[in-house]
Amino acid sequence: MNLKDTIRTIPDFPVKGIMFRDITTLMTNRHAYHASIVQLCQPYEDLKIDNVAGIEARGFTFAGAMADRLGAGFVPIRKAGKLPGDVYSQSYDLEYGSDILEIHADAIRGQEKVVLVDDLIATGGTAVAAVKLLRKTGAKIVGAAFVVNLPELGGLKKIAAMGIPVTALVSFDGH
Ligand code: AMP
């Protein structure tokens, strides 16, 4: 199973110059989707993970399945204004634009072991904001896992430089 071949590239979406790596074609392939969940979980199988934190929205589709496989809970990290309880907020820059992420202030109890998950890491702006939010909750971040890495944009290295073990299943050249 070559996961990379199941990911479709759409040029100039959502703006000109972006090569959009579309993981919906991986997800609709049952074998590829299952293989991606197994591979994403592999480093964490024996670590007794408490929670898997997924970043809205495409991160949810992998983080939820991972949480169930790891016997862990699921924590949503959402765009501003979506979570109903008390939240921590963090602004961040995207490859295209800027935004705010939030997490429920009581989502993590004490020093729980958490894995952070998103579909794709580009500049790392989104994931760095998610790491800052998880650290505000007191979580112990034991790893960050991504389906796709765009190495030329340097995001994965930024997360590793924050002292977090990183994994990505597939890499694409360029933006
Ligand atoms: P970044 O904050 O630059 O690491 O961007 C990561 C977020 O933006 C992820 O949640 C992705 O879903 C989305 N994203 C950024 N660039 C791309 C791309 N080239 N193809 C698909 N999604 C992207």
Side-chain angles (χ1 to χ4, degrees), residues 16-165:
K16 201 162 175 50
I18 298 292
M19 297 288 278
F20 193 85
R21 308 301 178 178
D22 177 18
I23 48 83
T24 65
T25 46
L26 179 157
M27 293 190 297
T28 54
N29 178 326
R30 74 189 76 189
H31 305 293
Y33 183 56
H34 177 70
S36 70
I37 299 302
V38 170
Q39 290 178 36
L40 287 166
C41 287
Q42 198 275 328
Y44 309 110
E45 292 284 357
D46 300 322
L47 296 185
K48 294 193 164 56
I49 299 302
D50 295 299
N51 276 296
V52 180
I55 303 175
E56 182 177 356
R58 288 182 293 269
F60 289 0
T61 60
F62 296 96
M66 286 177 68
D68 185 59
R69 188 176 172 86
L70 293 170
F74 170 76
V75 172
I77 295 176
R78 299 207 61 179
K79 306 282 167 58
K82 300 285 180 74
L83 290 170
D86 291 340
V87 295
Y88 295 120
S89 297
Q90 184 70 49
S91 65
Y92 65 107
D93 293 325
L94 284 167
E95 193 181 349
Y96 33 86
S98 78
D99 221 330
I100 293 172
L101 284 180
E102 294 182 341
I103 192 170
H104 270 142
D106 63 356
I108 308 290
R109 287 159 299 277
Q111 279 257 302
E112 287 188 341
K113 286 193 274 185
V114 176
V115 177
L116 175 66
V117 176
D118 204 358
D119 67 323
L120 181 146
I121 185 158
T123 65
T126 311
V128 167
V131 166
K132 288 179 179 168
L133 284 175
L134 283 169
R135 286 188 167 161
K136 285 179 191 174
T137 68
K140 179 172 167 40
I141 308 170
V142 298
F146 304 88
V147 180
V148 179
N149 179 29
L150 306 184
E152 288 170 33
L153 295 172
L156 203 65
K157 284 189 178 154
K158 273 187 210 158
I159 301 300
M162 297 173 92
I164 297 166

Side-chain angles (χ1 to χ4, degrees), residues 3 9 13 24 62:
L3 287 180
T9 296
F13 182 88
T24 65
F62 296 96

